[in-house]
Amino acid sequence: MRRQRQAAFSVAYTALLAALSLVILYGSCLIPTGRAGVVGLAGLLPAAAVISGGPSSGVLCYAGTGILAFLLLPDKGNALLYLLFFGLYPLVKYSIERIRRLELVLKLAFFNGMLSVFWFVLRTIFLSAIPLSTQSLPLLYLGGSAVFLMYDFGFSKLIAFYIARVDKPLRNGRSAN
């Protein structure tokens, strides 16, 4: 009975996180600036699902939010940004940080791979405002990698905050029942 209660909680909590992530993504369509920041905020919730329910909960949160975002959001670019980077990164980060050996190299490889997809395939949607020619592409990768490392550091701090302030009290409240 206890296992069923924990499984039900995990599914309900994951669905709640996915719904909240979708609401934040919808909000990213309504604001005139800061689209990537708000989409990044929506990407924090799959990390919460991974922490509280495990990797399968994170995948469900990510996939559910991504599918619903493509169906419901008026700006499909935000859904694509979530699916290709901000929603996917918490799952990639979880997998990479379990390896430990080449953690930084693998994270940068993921980021630069996604940046390549955005630059060479989706440039007209996402990077059209960046006045860079192909000759200054190394500058984009270097600057982007530096910004990504700061994002990863901040993301790790937010995960630590979530574990201490939300997940631990949530678990303590669950174990009391």
Side-chain angles (χ1 to χ4, degrees):
M1 187 69 163
R2 183 181 201 130
R3 181 174 278 186
Q4 288 176 336
R5 198 176 300 156
Q6 285 178 330
F9 175 84
S10 181
V11 169
Y13 192 64
T14 300
L16 179 69
L17 290 172
L20 186 57
S21 189
L22 186 63
V23 167
I24 294 169
L25 279 174
Y26 192 81
S28 73
C29 297
L30 301 176
I31 62 169
T33 59
R35 170 172 82 170
V38 177
V39 175
L41 182 64
L44 294 174
L45 297 169
V50 168
I51 293 164
S52 296
S56 59
S57 292
V59 170
L60 285 174
C61 181
Y62 162 72
T65 302
I67 291 167
L68 289 173
F70 257 111
L71 293 173
L72 300 175
L73 292 186
D75 186 352
K76 304 303 183 211
N78 290 1
L80 199 57
L81 190 59
Y82 175 84
L83 277 171
L84 291 179
F85 186 73
F86 288 110
L88 181 61
Y89 184 65
L91 303 171
V92 170
K93 180 178 176 65
Y94 172 79
S95 299
I96 288 174
E97 288 181 352
R98 293 180 62 84
I99 296 171
R100 287 278 185 214
R101 290 196 97 186
L102 300 170
E103 183 178 331
L104 188 62
V105 172
L106 292 173
K107 286 179 181 179
L108 284 171
F110 170 76
F111 170 75
N112 287 312
M114 286 296 110
L115 184 59
S116 296
V117 168
F118 283 114
W119 180 259
F120 293 110
V121 180
L122 304 167
R123 181 181 352 180
T124 57
I125 299 171
F126 294 106
L127 301 175
S128 61
I130 298 177
L132 287 176
S133 65
T134 311
Q135 292 85 13
S136 53
L137 207 52
L139 182 65
L140 176 67
Y141 279 92
L142 205 59
S145 293
V147 170
F148 170 74
L149 290 174
M150 288 186 286
Y151 165 76
D152 183 58
F153 178 77
F155 194 60
S156 295
K157 293 294 183 186
L158 285 171
I159 287 171
F161 176 81
Y162 174 81
I163 290 170
R165 298 293 181 145
V166 178
D167 191 55
K168 277 188 182 175
L170 199 62
R171 288 181 191 275
N172 291 338
R174 259 191 296 172
S175 63
N177 292 333

Coordinates of all heavy atoms in Angstrom, one line a residue, residues 4-99:
Q4 N 2.3 1.9 -3.5 CA 1.3 2.5 -4.4 C 1.1 4.0 -4.1 O 0.9 4.8 -5.0 CB 0.0 1.7 -4.2 CG 0.0 0.4 -4.8 CD -1.3 -0.4 -4.5 OE1 -2.0 -0.1 -3.6 NE2 -1.6 -1.3 -5.4
R5 N 1.1 4.3 -2.8 CA 0.9 5.7 -2.4 C 2.1 6.6 -2.9 O 1.9 7.7 -3.4 CB 0.8 5.9 -0.9 CG 0.2 7.2 -0.5 CD 0.0 7.3 1.0 NE -0.9 6.2 1.4 CZ -0.9 5.7 2.7 NH1 -0.1 6.2 3.6 NH2 -1.8 4.8 3.0
Q6 N 3.3 6.0 -2.8 CA 4.5 6.7 -3.3 C 4.5 6.9 -4.8 O 4.9 7.9 -5.4 CB 5.8 6.0 -2.9 CG 6.1 6.2 -1.4 CD 7.4 5.5 -1.0 OE1 7.7 4.5 -1.5 NE2 8.0 6.0 0.0
A7 N 4.1 5.8 -5.5 CA 4.0 5.9 -7.0 C 2.9 6.9 -7.4 O 3.2 7.6 -8.4 CB 3.7 4.5 -7.5
A8 N 1.8 6.9 -6.7 CA 0.8 7.9 -7.1 C 1.2 9.3 -6.8 O 1.0 10.2 -7.7 CB -0.5 7.6 -6.3
F9 N 2.0 9.5 -5.7 CA 2.5 10.8 -5.5 C 3.5 11.2 -6.6 O 3.5 12.4 -7.0 CB 3.2 10.9 -4.1 CG 3.9 12.2 -3.8 CD1 3.1 13.2 -3.3 CD2 5.2 12.3 -4.1 CE1 3.8 14.5 -3.1 CE2 5.8 13.6 -3.9 CZ 5.1 14.6 -3.4
S10 N 4.3 10.3 -6.9 CA 5.4 10.6 -8.0 C 4.7 11.0 -9.3 O 5.1 12.0 -9.9 CB 6.3 9.4 -8.2 OG 7.3 9.7 -9.1
V11 N 3.7 10.3 -9.7 CA 3.0 10.6 -11.0 C 2.3 11.9 -10.9 O 2.4 12.8 -11.8 CB 2.0 9.4 -11.3 CG1 1.1 9.9 -12.5 CG2 2.8 8.2 -11.7
A12 N 1.6 12.1 -9.8 CA 0.9 13.4 -9.6 C 1.8 14.6 -9.5 O 1.6 15.7 -10.1 CB 0.0 13.3 -8.3
Y13 N 2.9 14.4 -8.8 CA 3.9 15.5 -8.7 C 4.6 15.8 -10.0 O 4.8 17.0 -10.4 CB 5.0 15.2 -7.6 CG 5.8 16.3 -7.2 CD1 5.3 17.4 -6.6 CD2 7.2 16.3 -7.5 CE1 6.1 18.5 -6.2 CE2 8.0 17.3 -7.1 CZ 7.4 18.4 -6.5 OH 8.2 19.5 -6.1
T14 N 4.9 14.8 -10.8 CA 5.4 15.0 -12.1 C 4.5 15.7 -13.0 O 4.8 16.6 -13.8 CB 5.9 13.6 -12.7 OG1 6.8 13.0 -11.8 CG2 6.4 13.8 -14.1
A15 N 3.2 15.3 -13.0 CA 2.2 16.0 -13.8 C 2.0 17.4 -13.4 O 1.9 18.3 -14.2 CB 0.8 15.2 -13.7
L16 N 2.1 17.7 -12.1 CA 2.0 19.1 -11.6 C 3.2 19.9 -12.1 O 3.0 21.0 -12.6 CB 2.0 19.1 -10.1 CG 1.9 20.5 -9.4 CD1 0.6 21.1 -9.7 CD2 2.2 20.3 -7.9
L17 N 4.4 19.3 -12.1 CA 5.6 20.0 -12.6 C 5.5 20.3 -14.1 O 5.9 21.3 -14.6 CB 6.8 19.2 -12.2 CG 7.2 19.2 -10.7 CD1 8.4 18.2 -10.5 CD2 7.6 20.6 -10.2
A18 N 5.0 19.3 -14.8 CA 4.8 19.5 -16.3 C 3.8 20.6 -16.6 O 4.0 21.4 -17.5 CB 4.4 18.1 -16.9
A19 N 2.7 20.6 -15.8 CA 1.7 21.6 -16.0 C 2.3 23.0 -15.7 O 2.0 24.0 -16.5 CB 0.5 21.3 -15.2
L20 N 3.0 23.1 -14.6 CA 3.6 24.4 -14.3 C 4.6 24.8 -15.3 O 4.7 26.0 -15.7 CB 4.3 24.3 -12.9 CG 4.8 25.6 -12.3 CD1 3.8 26.6 -12.2 CD2 5.4 25.3 -10.9
S21 N 5.4 23.9 -15.8 CA 6.4 24.2 -16.9 C 5.7 24.7 -18.1 O 6.1 25.6 -18.8 CB 7.2 22.9 -17.2 OG 8.2 23.2 -18.0
L22 N 4.5 24.1 -18.4 CA 3.7 24.5 -19.6 C 3.2 25.9 -19.4 O 3.2 26.7 -20.3 CB 2.6 23.5 -19.9 CG 1.8 23.7 -21.2 CD1 2.7 23.6 -22.4 CD2 0.7 22.8 -21.2
V23 N 2.7 26.2 -18.2 CA 2.2 27.6 -17.9 C 3.3 28.6 -18.1 O 3.1 29.7 -18.6 CB 1.6 27.6 -16.5 CG1 1.4 29.0 -16.0 CG2 0.3 26.8 -16.4
I24 N 4.5 28.3 -17.6 CA 5.7 29.2 -17.7 C 6.0 29.3 -19.2 O 6.3 30.5 -19.7 CB 6.9 28.7 -16.9 CG1 6.5 28.8 -15.4 CG2 8.1 29.5 -17.2 CD1 7.5 28.1 -14.5
L25 N 6.0 28.2 -20.0 CA 6.3 28.3 -21.4 C 5.2 29.2 -22.1 O 5.6 30.0 -23.0 CB 6.3 26.9 -22.0 CG 7.6 26.2 -21.9 CD1 7.4 24.7 -22.4 CD2 8.7 26.9 -22.6
Y26 N 4.0 29.1 -21.7 CA 2.9 29.9 -22.3 C 3.2 31.4 -22.0 O 3.0 32.3 -22.8 CB 1.6 29.5 -21.8 CG 0.5 30.1 -22.6 CD1 0.1 29.6 -23.9 CD2 -0.2 31.2 -22.2 CE1 -0.9 30.2 -24.7 CE2 -1.2 31.8 -23.0 CZ -1.5 31.3 -24.2 OH -2.5 31.9 -24.9
G27 N 3.6 31.6 -20.7 CA 4.0 33.0 -20.4 C 5.1 33.5 -21.2 O 5.2 34.8 -21.5
S28 N 6.0 32.7 -21.6 CA 7.2 33.1 -22.5 C 6.7 33.6 -23.8 O 7.3 34.4 -24.5 CB 8.2 32.0 -22.7 OG 7.7 31.0 -23.6
C29 N 5.5 33.2 -24.2 CA 4.9 33.7 -25.5 C 4.3 35.0 -25.3 O 4.0 35.8 -26.3 CB 3.9 32.7 -26.0 SG 4.5 31.1 -26.4
L30 N 3.9 35.4 -24.1 CA 3.2 36.6 -23.9 C 4.1 37.8 -23.6 O 3.7 39.0 -23.8 CB 2.2 36.5 -22.7 CG 1.2 35.4 -22.9 CD1 0.4 35.2 -21.6 CD2 0.3 35.6 -24.0
I31 N 5.3 37.6 -23.1 CA 6.2 38.7 -22.8 C 7.0 39.1 -24.0 O 7.3 38.3 -24.9 CB 7.1 38.4 -21.6 CG1 8.0 37.2 -22.0 CG2 6.4 38.1 -20.4 CD1 9.2 37.0 -21.0
P32 N 7.2 40.4 -24.2 CA 7.9 40.9 -25.4 C 9.4 40.6 -25.4 O 10.0 40.4 -26.5 CB 7.7 42.4 -25.4 CG 7.4 42.7 -23.9 CD 6.8 41.5 -23.3
T33 N 10.1 40.5 -24.2 CA 11.5 40.3 -24.2 C 11.9 39.2 -23.2 O 11.0 38.9 -22.3 CB 12.3 41.6 -23.9 OG1 11.9 42.0 -22.6 CG2 12.1 42.6 -24.9
G34 N 13.0 38.7 -23.2 CA 13.5 37.7 -22.2 C 12.9 36.3 -22.5 O 12.8 35.5 -21.6
R35 N 12.6 36.0 -23.7 CA 12.0 34.7 -24.1 C 12.9 33.6 -23.6 O 12.4 32.6 -23.0 CB 11.8 34.7 -25.6 CG 11.4 33.3 -26.1 CD 11.0 33.4 -27.5 NE 12.2 33.3 -28.4 CZ 12.1 33.2 -29.7 NH1 10.9 33.1 -30.3 NH2 13.2 33.1 -30.4
A36 N 14.2 33.6 -23.9 CA 15.1 32.5 -23.6 C 15.2 32.3 -22.0 O 15.2 31.2 -21.5 CB 16.5 32.7 -24.1
G37 N 15.1 33.4 -21.3 CA 15.2 33.3 -19.8 C 14.0 32.7 -19.2 O 14.1 31.9 -18.3
V38 N 12.8 33.0 -19.8 CA 11.6 32.4 -19.3 C 11.5 30.9 -19.7 O 11.1 30.1 -18.9 CB 10.3 33.2 -19.7 CG1 9.0 32.5 -19.3 CG2 10.4 34.6 -19.2
V39 N 11.9 30.6 -20.9 CA 12.0 29.2 -21.3 C 13.0 28.4 -20.5 O 12.7 27.3 -20.1 CB 12.3 29.1 -22.8 CG1 12.5 27.6 -23.2 CG2 11.2 29.7 -23.7
G40 N 14.1 29.1 -20.1 CA 15.1 28.5 -19.2 C 14.5 28.2 -17.8 O 14.7 27.2 -17.2
L41 N 13.6 29.1 -17.4 CA 12.9 28.9 -16.1 C 12.0 27.7 -16.2 O 11.9 26.9 -15.2 CB 12.1 30.2 -15.7 CG 11.4 30.2 -14.4 CD1 12.3 30.1 -13.3 CD2 10.5 31.4 -14.3
A42 N 11.3 27.5 -17.3 CA 10.5 26.3 -17.5 C 11.3 25.1 -17.5 O 10.8 24.0 -17.1 CB 9.7 26.4 -18.8
G43 N 12.6 25.2 -17.9 CA 13.5 24.0 -18.0 C 13.9 23.6 -16.6 O 14.5 22.5 -16.5
L44 N 13.7 24.4 -15.6 CA 14.1 24.0 -14.2 C 13.2 22.9 -13.7 O 13.6 22.1 -12.8 CB 14.1 25.2 -13.3 CG 15.1 26.3 -13.5 CD1 14.8 27.5 -12.6 CD2 16.5 25.8 -13.4
L45 N 12.0 22.8 -14.1 CA 11.0 21.9 -13.6 C 11.3 20.4 -13.9 O 11.1 19.6 -13.1 CB 9.6 22.3 -13.9 CG 9.3 23.7 -13.3 CD1 8.0 24.3 -13.9 CD2 9.3 23.6 -11.8
P46 N 11.8 20.1 -15.1 CA 12.2 18.7 -15.3 C 13.3 18.3 -14.3 O 13.4 17.1 -13.9 CB 12.7 18.6 -16.7 CG 11.9 19.7 -17.4 CD 11.8 20.8 -16.4
A47 N 14.2 19.2 -13.9 CA 15.2 18.9 -13.0 C 14.6 18.6 -11.6 O 15.0 17.6 -10.9 CB 16.2 20.1 -12.8
A48 N 13.5 19.3 -11.2 CA 12.8 19.0 -10.0 C 12.2 17.6 -10.1 O 12.2 16.9 -9.1 CB 11.8 20.1 -9.7
A49 N 11.7 17.3 -11.2 CA 11.1 15.9 -11.4 C 12.1 14.8 -11.3 O 11.9 13.8 -10.7 CB 10.4 15.8 -12.7
V50 N 13.3 15.1 -11.8 CA 14.4 14.1 -11.7 C 14.8 13.9 -10.2 O 15.0 12.8 -9.8 CB 15.6 14.5 -12.5 CG1 16.8 13.7 -12.2 CG2 15.3 14.4 -14.0
I51 N 14.9 15.0 -9.5 CA 15.3 14.9 -8.1 C 14.3 14.3 -7.3 O 14.6 13.4 -6.4 CB 15.6 16.4 -7.6 CG1 16.8 16.9 -8.3 CG2 15.8 16.4 -6.1 CD1 17.0 18.4 -8.1
S52 N 13.0 14.6 -7.4 CA 12.0 14.1 -6.6 C 11.4 12.8 -7.0 O 11.0 12.0 -6.1 CB 10.8 15.1 -6.5 OG 11.2 16.3 -5.9
G53 N 11.5 12.4 -8.3 CA 10.9 11.2 -8.7 C 11.8 10.2 -9.5 O 11.4 9.2 -9.8
G54 N 13.0 10.7 -9.8 CA 13.9 9.9 -10.5 C 14.0 10.3 -12.0 O 13.2 11.1 -12.5
P55 N 14.9 9.7 -12.7 CA 15.1 10.0 -14.1 C 13.8 9.8 -15.0 O 13.5 10.5 -15.9 CB 16.2 9.2 -14.6 CG 16.8 8.5 -13.5 CD 15.9 8.7 -12.3
S56 N 13.1 8.7 -14.7 CA 11.9 8.4 -15.5 C 10.8 9.5 -15.3 O 10.1 9.9 -16.2 CB 11.3 7.1 -15.1 OG 10.9 7.0 -13.8
S57 N 10.7 10.1 -14.1 CA 9.8 11.2 -13.9 C 10.3 12.5 -14.6 O 9.5 13.2 -15.2 CB 9.7 11.6 -12.4 OG 9.1 10.5 -11.7
G58 N 11.6 12.7 -14.7 CA 12.1 13.8 -15.5 C 11.8 13.7 -16.9 O 11.5 14.6 -17.6
V59 N 12.0 12.4 -17.5 CA 11.7 12.2 -18.9 C 10.2 12.4 -19.1 O 9.8 13.1 -20.1 CB 12.1 10.8 -19.3 CG1 11.5 10.4 -20.7 CG2 13.6 10.6 -19.3
L60 N 9.3 12.0 -18.2 CA 7.9 12.2 -18.4 C 7.5 13.7 -18.4 O 6.7 14.1 -19.2 CB 7.1 11.4 -17.4 CG 7.0 9.9 -17.6 CD1 6.3 9.3 -16.4 CD2 6.2 9.6 -18.8
C61 N 8.1 14.4 -17.4 CA 7.9 15.8 -17.3 C 8.3 16.5 -18.6 O 7.6 17.4 -19.2 CB 8.6 16.4 -16.1 SG 8.3 18.1 -15.8
Y62 N 9.5 16.2 -19.0 CA 10.1 16.8 -20.3 C 9.2 16.5 -21.5 O 8.9 17.4 -22.3 CB 11.5 16.4 -20.4 CG 12.1 16.5 -21.8 CD1 12.4 17.8 -22.3 CD2 12.3 15.4 -22.6 CE1 12.9 18.0 -23.6 CE2 12.8 15.6 -23.9 CZ 13.2 16.9 -24.4 OH 13.7 17.0 -25.6
A63 N 8.9 15.2 -21.7 CA 8.2 14.8 -22.9 C 6.8 15.4 -22.9 O 6.3 15.9 -23.9 CB 8.2 13.3 -23.0
G64 N 6.1 15.3 -21.7 CA 4.7 15.8 -21.6 C 4.7 17.2 -21.9 O 3.8 17.7 -22.6
T65 N 5.6 18.0 -21.3 CA 5.6 19.4 -21.5 C 5.9 19.8 -23.0 O 5.3 20.6 -23.6 CB 6.6 20.1 -20.6 OG1 6.3 19.8 -19.2 CG2 6.6 21.6 -20.8
G66 N 6.9 19.1 -23.5 CA 7.3 19.3 -24.9 C 6.2 19.1 -25.9 O 5.9 19.9 -26.8
I67 N 5.5 17.9 -25.7 CA 4.4 17.6 -26.7 C 3.3 18.6 -26.5 O 2.7 19.1 -27.5 CB 3.9 16.2 -26.4 CG1 5.0 15.2 -26.8 CG2 2.6 15.9 -27.1 CD1 4.7 13.8 -26.3
L68 N 2.9 18.9 -25.3 CA 1.8 19.9 -25.1 C 2.2 21.3 -25.5 O 1.3 22.0 -26.0 CB 1.4 19.9 -23.6 CG 0.6 18.6 -23.2 CD1 0.4 18.7 -21.7 CD2 -0.7 18.5 -23.9
A69 N 3.4 21.6 -25.4 CA 3.9 22.9 -25.8 C 3.8 23.1 -27.3 O 3.3 24.1 -27.8 CB 5.3 23.2 -25.4
F70 N 4.1 22.0 -28.1 CA 4.0 22.1 -29.5 C 2.5 22.1 -29.9 O 2.2 22.8 -30.9 CB 4.7 20.9 -30.2 CG 6.0 21.3 -30.8 CD1 7.2 20.8 -30.2 CD2 6.1 22.1 -31.9 CE1 8.4 21.1 -30.8 CE2 7.3 22.5 -32.4 CZ 8.4 22.0 -31.9
L71 N 1.7 21.5 -29.2 CA 0.2 21.6 -29.5 C -0.4 22.9 -29.1 O -1.3 23.3 -29.8 CB -0.5 20.4 -28.9 CG -0.1 19.0 -29.4 CD1 -0.8 17.9 -28.5 CD2 -0.5 18.8 -30.8
L72 N 0.0 23.4 -28.0 CA -0.8 24.5 -27.4 C -0.2 25.9 -27.5 O -0.9 26.9 -27.5 CB -1.1 24.3 -25.9 CG -1.9 23.0 -25.6 CD1 -1.9 22.7 -24.1 CD2 -3.2 23.0 -26.2
L73 N 1.1 26.0 -27.6 CA 1.8 27.3 -27.6 C 1.6 28.0 -28.9 O 1.7 27.4 -30.0 CB 3.3 27.2 -27.3 CG 3.7 26.8 -25.9 CD1 5.2 26.9 -25.8 CD2 3.0 27.6 -24.8
P74 N 1.3 29.3 -28.9 CA 1.2 30.1 -30.2 C 2.6 30.3 -30.8 O 2.7 30.4 -32.1 CB 0.6 31.4 -29.8 CG 0.8 31.5 -28.3 CD 0.9 30.1 -27.8
D75 N 3.7 30.3 -30.1 CA 5.0 30.5 -30.6 C 5.7 29.1 -30.5 O 6.2 28.8 -29.5 CB 5.7 31.6 -29.8 CG 7.1 31.9 -30.4 OD1 7.5 31.2 -31.3 OD2 7.7 32.9 -29.9
K76 N 5.8 28.5 -31.6 CA 6.4 27.1 -31.7 C 7.9 27.2 -31.4 O 8.6 26.2 -31.1 CB 6.1 26.4 -33.0 CG 4.7 26.3 -33.3 CD 3.9 25.6 -32.3 CE 2.4 25.4 -32.7 NZ 1.5 25.4 -31.7
G77 N 8.5 28.4 -31.7 CA 9.9 28.6 -31.4 C 10.3 28.3 -29.9 O 11.3 27.8 -29.6
N78 N 9.4 28.8 -29.1 CA 9.6 28.6 -27.6 C 9.6 27.1 -27.3 O 10.4 26.6 -26.5 CB 8.6 29.4 -26.8 CG 8.9 30.8 -26.9 OD1 9.7 31.3 -27.5 ND2 8.0 31.6 -26.2
A79 N 8.6 26.4 -27.9 CA 8.5 24.9 -27.6 C 9.8 24.2 -28.2 O 10.3 23.3 -27.5 CB 7.3 24.4 -28.3
L80 N 10.3 24.7 -29.3 CA 11.5 24.1 -29.9 C 12.7 24.4 -29.0 O 13.5 23.5 -28.8 CB 11.7 24.6 -31.3 CG 12.6 23.9 -32.2 CD1 12.1 22.4 -32.4 CD2 12.6 24.6 -33.6
L81 N 12.8 25.6 -28.5 CA 13.9 26.0 -27.6 C 13.9 25.1 -26.3 O 14.9 24.6 -25.8 CB 13.8 27.4 -27.3 CG 15.0 28.1 -26.5 CD1 16.3 28.0 -27.3 CD2 14.6 29.6 -26.3
Y82 N 12.7 24.8 -25.8 CA 12.5 24.0 -24.6 C 12.9 22.6 -25.0 O 13.7 21.9 -24.2 CB 11.1 24.1 -24.1 CG 10.8 23.1 -23.0 CD1 11.1 23.5 -21.7 CD2 10.3 21.9 -23.2 CE1 10.8 22.6 -20.6 CE2 10.0 21.0 -22.2 CZ 10.3 21.4 -20.9 OH 10.0 20.5 -19.8
L83 N 12.4 22.0 -26.1 CA 12.7 20.6 -26.4 C 14.2 20.4 -26.8 O 14.7 19.3 -26.4 CB 11.8 20.2 -27.6 CG 10.4 19.8 -27.3 CD1 9.6 19.6 -28.6 CD2 10.4 18.5 -26.5
L84 N 14.8 21.3 -27.4 CA 16.2 21.1 -27.9 C 17.2 21.4 -26.8 O 18.3 20.9 -26.9 CB 16.5 21.8 -29.2 CG 15.8 21.3 -30.4 CD1 16.1 22.2 -31.6 CD2 16.1 19.9 -30.7
F85 N 16.9 22.3 -25.9 CA 17.9 22.7 -24.9 C 17.4 22.7 -23.5 O 17.8 21.9 -22.7 CB 18.6 24.0 -25.3 CG 19.8 24.3 -24.4 CD1 20.9 23.6 -24.5 CD2 19.7 25.2 -23.4 CE1 22.0 23.8 -23.6 CE2 20.7 25.5 -22.5 CZ 21.9 24.8 -22.7
F86 N 16.6 23.7 -23.1 CA 16.3 24.0 -21.7 C 15.5 22.8 -21.0 O 15.8 22.6 -19.9 CB 15.6 25.3 -21.6 CG 16.4 26.5 -21.8 CD1 16.3 27.3 -23.0 CD2 17.4 26.8 -20.9 CE1 17.1 28.4 -23.2 CE2 18.2 27.9 -21.2 CZ 18.0 28.7 -22.3
G87 N 14.7 22.2 -21.7 CA 14.0 21.0 -21.1 C 14.8 19.8 -21.1 O 14.7 18.9 -20.2
L88 N 15.7 19.6 -22.1 CA 16.5 18.4 -22.3 C 17.7 18.5 -21.4 O 18.2 17.5 -20.9 CB 16.9 18.3 -23.7 CG 17.8 17.1 -24.1 CD1 17.1 15.8 -23.8 CD2 18.2 17.2 -25.6
Y89 N 18.2 19.7 -21.1 CA 19.5 19.8 -20.4 C 19.4 19.2 -18.9 O 20.4 18.6 -18.5 CB 20.0 21.2 -20.3 CG 21.3 21.3 -19.6 CD1 22.4 20.7 -20.2 CD2 21.5 21.9 -18.4 CE1 23.7 20.7 -19.6 CE2 22.7 22.0 -17.8 CZ 23.8 21.4 -18.3 OH 25.0 21.4 -17.7
P90 N 18.4 19.3 -18.2 CA 18.4 18.7 -16.9 C 18.6 17.2 -16.9 O 19.3 16.6 -16.1 CB 17.0 19.0 -16.3 CG 16.6 20.2 -17.0 CD 17.2 20.2 -18.4
L91 N 18.0 16.5 -18.0 CA 18.2 15.1 -18.1 C 19.7 14.8 -18.5 O 20.3 13.8 -18.0 CB 17.3 14.5 -19.2 CG 15.8 14.8 -18.9 CD1 14.9 14.4 -20.0 CD2 15.4 14.1 -17.6
V92 N 20.2 15.6 -19.4 CA 21.6 15.4 -19.8 C 22.5 15.7 -18.7 O 23.5 14.9 -18.4 CB 21.9 16.3 -21.0 CG1 23.4 16.4 -21.4 CG2 21.1 15.9 -22.3
K93 N 22.3 16.7 -17.9 CA 23.1 17.1 -16.8 C 23.1 15.9 -15.7 O 24.2 15.6 -15.2 CB 22.6 18.4 -16.1 CG 23.3 18.9 -14.9 CD 22.7 20.2 -14.4 CE 23.4 20.7 -13.2 NZ 24.8 21.1 -13.3
Y94 N 21.9 15.4 -15.5 CA 21.8 14.3 -14.5 C 22.7 13.1 -15.0 O 23.4 12.5 -14.2 CB 20.4 13.8 -14.4 CG 20.2 12.6 -13.6 CD1 20.2 12.6 -12.2 CD2 20.0 11.4 -14.2 CE1 20.1 11.4 -11.4 CE2 19.8 10.2 -13.5 CZ 19.9 10.2 -12.1 OH 19.7 9.1 -11.4
S95 N 22.6 12.8 -16.3 CA 23.4 11.6 -16.8 C 24.9 11.9 -16.8 O 25.6 11.0 -16.4 CB 22.9 11.3 -18.3 OG 21.6 11.0 -18.3
I96 N 25.2 13.1 -17.2 CA 26.7 13.4 -17.3 C 27.3 13.5 -15.9 O 28.4 13.0 -15.6 CB 26.9 14.7 -18.0 CG1 26.6 14.6 -19.5 CG2 28.3 15.3 -17.8 CD1 26.7 15.8 -20.3
E97 N 26.6 14.0 -14.9 CA 27.1 14.2 -13.6 C 27.2 12.8 -12.8 O 27.9 12.7 -11.8 CB 26.3 15.2 -12.8 CG 26.6 16.6 -13.2 CD 25.8 17.7 -12.5 OE1 24.9 17.3 -11.7 OE2 26.1 18.8 -12.7
R98 N 26.6 11.8 -13.3 CA 26.7 10.5 -12.8 C 28.0 9.8 -13.3 O 28.6 8.9 -12.6 CB 25.5 9.6 -13.1 CG 24.3 10.1 -12.4 CD 23.1 9.3 -12.7 NE 23.2 7.9 -12.3 CZ 22.9 7.5 -11.0 NH1 22.6 8.3 -10.1 NH2 23.0 6.2 -10.8
I99 N 28.6 10.3 -14.4 CA 29.8 9.8 -15.0 C 31.0 10.3 -14.2 O 31.9 9.6 -13.9 CB 29.9 10.1 -16.5 CG1 28.8 9.4 -17.2 CG2 31.3 9.7 -17.0 CD1 28.7 9.8 -18.7

